[in-house]
Amino acid sequence: DARVTQTPRHKVTEMGQEVTMRCQPILGHNTVFWYRQTMMQGLELLAYFRNRAPLDDSGMPKDRFSAEMPDATLATLKIQPSEPRDSAVYFCASGPTGGNSPLHFGNGTRLTVT
Amino acid sequence: KQEVTQIPAALSVPEGENLVLNCSFTDSAIYNLQWFRQDPGKGLTSLLLIQSSQREQTSGRLNASLDKSSGRSTLYIAASQPGDSATYLCAVRADTGFQKLVFGTGTRLLVSP
């Protein structure tokens, strides 16, 4: 059963440290999304890739966040430097082109910045 | 800017009841609407996807309807079971631009035995 894999599942770090989250999309899916989920804001779109090209990262704080897809099997989300307000669950989702099929979500990375 | 609202925020029912979850959206220019389920500590699982040209979709005990012109969707769960306890989220995909998927804040459902 194909699934989106995210690592690490949990990350605790101190303010100011760099954090890297990784996502392996489902093989053959060429759209990848990064979402952040908090109790206050719910699910917020951070970045959207199609065929490894970033199409929309307007939801991402550019000064500290960066998202890349070095190849079709890996998407990364980096925060440098991290701040306590970045504490949240970060989800990666993938889907085929066209938008007619449901997105598949990973189990998320729970980030705590102290 | 698309805004998606879900009512109620939380719902508690005894096992066996039929129930309806509501989702409303402000911009009717949507490509499709999806209902997801999220269990604690887990990612989201897609339940149903309704294309903008469709009125409803069914899967087992779940039925989702879409009234695009009025900006509403409902998720009907028949004969609820304790295993249905989870948070249910609706999300709309824009018809234009980069087809963003915008989520509602969810309905937390508890079905007691």
Side-chain angles (χ1 to χ4, degrees):
Chain A
D1 191 21
R3 58 182 63 190
V4 176
T5 304
Q6 288 186 250
T7 56
R9 288 297 315 276
H10 302 274
K11 176 72 176 179
V12 180
T13 191
E14 291 184 349
M15 182 173 65
Q17 296 298 305
E18 177 178 304
V19 174
T20 298
M21 291 169 272
R22 293 177 173 80
C23 168
Q24 181 176 357
I26 291 174
L27 191 64
H29 284 182
N30 58 354
T31 61
V32 174
F33 298 78
W34 283 103
Y35 283 90
R36 174 171 64 183
Q37 186 176 40
T38 60
M39 288 292 292
M40 294 298 295
Q41 300 295 329
L43 274 159
E44 303 172 278
L45 178 65
L46 297 175
Y48 170 27
F49 289 80
R50 183 187 296 164
N51 294 324
R52 295 175 55 202
L55 291 191
D56 185 359
D57 58 3
S58 59
M60 201 165 64
K62 302 287 193 309
D63 56 338
R64 299 183 299 107
F65 285 59
S66 63
E68 296 179 342
M69 279 200 75
D71 60 60
T73 64
L74 177 64
T76 62
L77 180 66
K78 289 186 181 180
I79 308 174
Q80 169 63 23
S82 58
E83 297 180 1
R85 60 179 166 151
D86 301 329
S87 299
V89 182
Y90 292 80
F91 287 104
C92 173
S94 72
T97 311
N100 282 332
S101 298
L103 284 188
H104 294 256
F105 278 74
N107 282 334
T109 293
R110 181 175 295 276
L111 174 65
T112 303
V113 183
T114 61
Chain B
K1 178 186 171 187
Q2 179 73 273
E3 292 183 6
V4 183
T5 305
Q6 290 187 246
I7 294 173
L11 183 62
S12 183
V13 300
E15 181 177 7
E17 275 204 8
N18 302 324
L19 53 99
V20 174
L21 308 181
N22 297 292
C23 171
S24 61
F25 46 95
T26 55
D27 185 350
S28 61
I30 67 169
Y31 191 68
N32 59 40
L33 182 145
Q34 299 179 49
W35 281 93
F36 292 85
R37 167 186 174 138
Q38 185 175 27
D39 293 286
K42 300 285 189 181
L44 282 68
T45 301
S46 181
L47 298 173
L48 290 163
L49 183 150
I50 312 177
Q51 300 296 345
S52 62
S53 58
Q54 297 176 320
R55 298 285 294 188
E56 66 178 339
Q57 281 285 336
T58 298
S59 175
R61 295 182 293 109
L62 305 179
N63 175 276
S65 68
L66 174 64
D67 185 343
K68 186 179 157 185
S69 60
S70 68
R72 293 181 185 177
S73 176
T74 61
L75 179 67
Y76 176 81
I77 303 177
S80 58
Q81 303 171 357
D84 295 330
S85 298
T87 296
Y88 291 81
L89 298 112
C90 72
V92 297
R93 194 145 197 183
D95 197 19
T96 57
F98 299 121
Q99 297 188 312
K100 282 185 180 181
L101 195 64
V102 178
F103 281 84
T105 49
T107 294
R108 192 167 62 252
L109 173 66
L110 177 63
V111 181
S112 52

